[in-house]
Amino acid sequence: MRLHVVFLLATVTLNAMGIGLILPVIPDLIRDVTGQPLSQAALIGGVLSTVFATMQFLFAPFMGRLSDAYGRRPVLLGTLAIMVLDYAVLALANTLWMLVVARMIGGFASSTQSTASAAIADLSEPGHRARGFGLISAAFGLGFVLGPVLGGLLAELGTRAPFWAAGGLCGAGVLLGLMSFPETHAAANRRPVTWRGSNPFGAFRALNRLPGLTRSLIVYFLYNVAFGTYPAIWSFFAQAQFAWSPAMVGLSLGIFGISFAVVQGGLMGLILRALGERGTAAMGLAVSAVGFAALGVVSNGTLVLFFAPIAALGATYAPAQQALLSQRLGPDEQGALQGVLTSTVAVAMMVAPALMSQVFAHFTAPERINPLPGAPFLLAMLLVLAACVLFVWPRRAPVVA
């Protein structure tokens, strides 16, 4: 594999690691900085996660347009350098506002998957781009697995150790890019940045051109809010319910990530052939509801790890639903559909941390006699059950004049 492709994949992996790296240590980091109990730390964690997701939502289209105007190389190298600064701020933070600023910087700087994908498209022949995009997705998945595991293991050396290590990796990525990554976007093909192209809400304008999708998008949104409970609450839940260390939290998140990769990469085709797309989507919703219900009441830390395959099977809903929606539209509307779906997920990832952290804080407050750390997962179960009802409810047949 050529060195500049390795740089692209490493950049995507590092960005994905940044999302998961903080998860095992975020409860201890917040309590270390603020001195608040776990329930209040969860509220602050929800704010930080929402800030991060909001910055990604706002700036992902802008990053793509910026690379169209000024080239892929300065955007990728610049954002990696910014990530070095971000991790340094997290490692040194001793006030809440420093954590908020760091998460804002991280959300902005990690919005470069679209730029890496554009660089892969620049380097590939039109008929051979699918393999490159597949490598980008695989690199993102690898980072999402490695981030929590690395964060949990390094946390044994101290709450701030994962951030120093991540900053060093990003610094090494900058050096690799300076030595090996050429500009892939020809000057003749560049175009200026425009507000219309950089507007993150632009995808929702496509709803006017995609009639009849409202119910499906509501189901998709409810599912993704429920699914967002995992990254939003898992670290706090694991501490409150099982008294797990950051290393164990990271290991558990790694097991979940590997389970998702096995299902999405190996079993998805078999399930689709057996149940079809609609059956697979329905199964994903039903299994998700069962998994959330179990997590809401489980008290055995070892047993909870066996729910990872159940959670992974629940994740089959999203790709099956995407396939169902794509079949209802012509080839000229596929891009608009993907834009709407991506924006729907982004908004759900902004809502989930704020909502679920409030629920967790309420049900684990120090004054509660019988705390219920699994309450966010029970709420997630209710959201998925509502999505199930909407998904299977018969559609009104069109009136024929």
Side-chain angles (χ1 to χ4, degrees):
M1 186 180 295
R2 290 172 294 181
L3 201 55
H4 52 271
V5 176
V6 172
F7 166 75
L8 285 175
L9 299 180
T11 300
V12 173
T13 301
L14 287 171
N15 285 340
M17 284 176 59
I19 299 172
L21 185 83
I22 195 174
L23 294 180
V25 297
I26 190 67
D28 291 341
L29 177 65
I30 294 173
R31 287 192 290 177
D32 181 41
V33 170
T34 66
Q36 296 290 336
L38 188 64
S39 59
Q40 293 301 308
L43 283 176
I44 297 170
V47 171
L48 296 179
S49 296
T50 299
V51 165
F52 186 91
T54 302
M55 293 296 287
Q56 282 198 317
F57 172 69
L58 292 175
F59 285 100
F62 172 75
M63 285 294 187
R65 294 295 185 181
L66 197 66
S67 73
D68 284 341
Y70 299 103
R72 321 298 185 204
R73 190 173 191 267
V75 172
L76 291 171
L77 291 176
T79 52
L80 266 181
I82 292 172
M83 289 301 293
V84 175
L85 171 65
D86 176 53
Y87 287 125
V89 173
L90 283 170
L92 298 171
N94 55 14
T95 61
L96 181 57
W97 71 263
M98 290 181 70
L99 294 180
V100 173
V101 169
R103 287 287 81 188
M104 291 178 68
I105 294 172
F108 166 78
S110 63
S111 305
T112 53
Q113 187 173 357
S114 59
T115 304
S117 297
I120 282 286
D122 296 337
L123 293 167
S124 307
E125 296 295 328
H128 299 84
R129 289 175 179 166
R131 180 176 179 274
F133 293 147
L135 289 173
I136 291 289
S137 297
F140 188 85
L142 177 65
F144 216 78
V145 172
L146 290 179
V149 175
L150 180 63
L153 292 175
L154 290 174
E156 297 299 308
L157 303 176
T159 305
R160 313 303 177 104
F163 306 117
W164 290 120
L169 288 173
C170 288
V174 173
L175 294 177
L176 176 63
L178 287 171
M179 293 185 296
S180 66
F181 188 68
E183 180 53 63
T184 62
H185 190 47
N189 296 329
R190 296 183 187 180
R191 53 183 177 176
V193 178
T194 62
W195 163 248
R196 183 176 181 181
S198 304
N199 179 10
F201 300 96
F204 289 107
R205 291 199 301 268
L207 286 172
N208 295 326
R209 307 196 305 273
L210 306 176
L213 300 185
T214 302
R215 186 199 293 190
S216 296
L217 289 176
I218 292 174
V219 173
Y220 199 71
F221 175 76
L222 290 174
Y223 168 83
N224 278 286
V225 171
F227 203 77
T229 308
Y230 288 113
I233 290 300
W234 184 260
S235 300
F236 300 94
F237 165 74
Q239 276 204 19
Q241 188 77 317
F242 313 124
W244 278 354
S245 68
M248 190 61 202
V249 173
L251 178 63
S252 67
L253 288 168
I255 291 172
F256 273 74
I258 292 170
S259 299
F260 290 134
V262 169
V263 169
Q264 298 286 357
L267 299 180
M268 189 68 186
L270 297 175
I271 297 171
L272 284 169
R273 283 195 292 272
L275 301 179
E277 285 153 352
R278 186 167 179 82
T280 299
M283 182 208 72
L285 290 173
V287 170
S288 292
V290 172
F292 286 132
L295 288 171
V297 298
V298 69
S299 58
N300 187 305
T302 303
L303 181 62
V304 79
L305 297 178
F306 290 96
F307 292 134
I310 296 177
L313 284 174
T316 56
Y317 160 76
Q321 180 69 86
Q322 285 181 324
L324 285 171
L325 292 175
S326 69
Q327 292 172 10
R328 293 168 56 185
L329 300 171
D332 58 331
E333 298 285 6
Q334 295 300 317
L337 171 64
Q338 294 305 319
V340 170
L341 293 178
T342 300
S343 296
T344 300
V345 173
V347 174
M349 291 302 102
M350 292 157 55
V351 171
L355 174 63
M356 297 306 177
S357 63
Q358 290 280 349
V359 174
F360 180 87
H362 177 74
F363 282 93
T364 59
E367 64 270 15
R368 292 190 70 89
I369 299 175
N370 296 309
L372 183 60
F377 293 105
L378 296 178
L379 175 57
M381 176 199 68
L382 294 177
L383 293 175
V384 172
L385 288 176
C388 284
V389 171
L390 288 174
F391 184 80
V392 302
W393 197 268
R395 297 180 182 277
R396 181 181 300 175
V399 177
V400 179

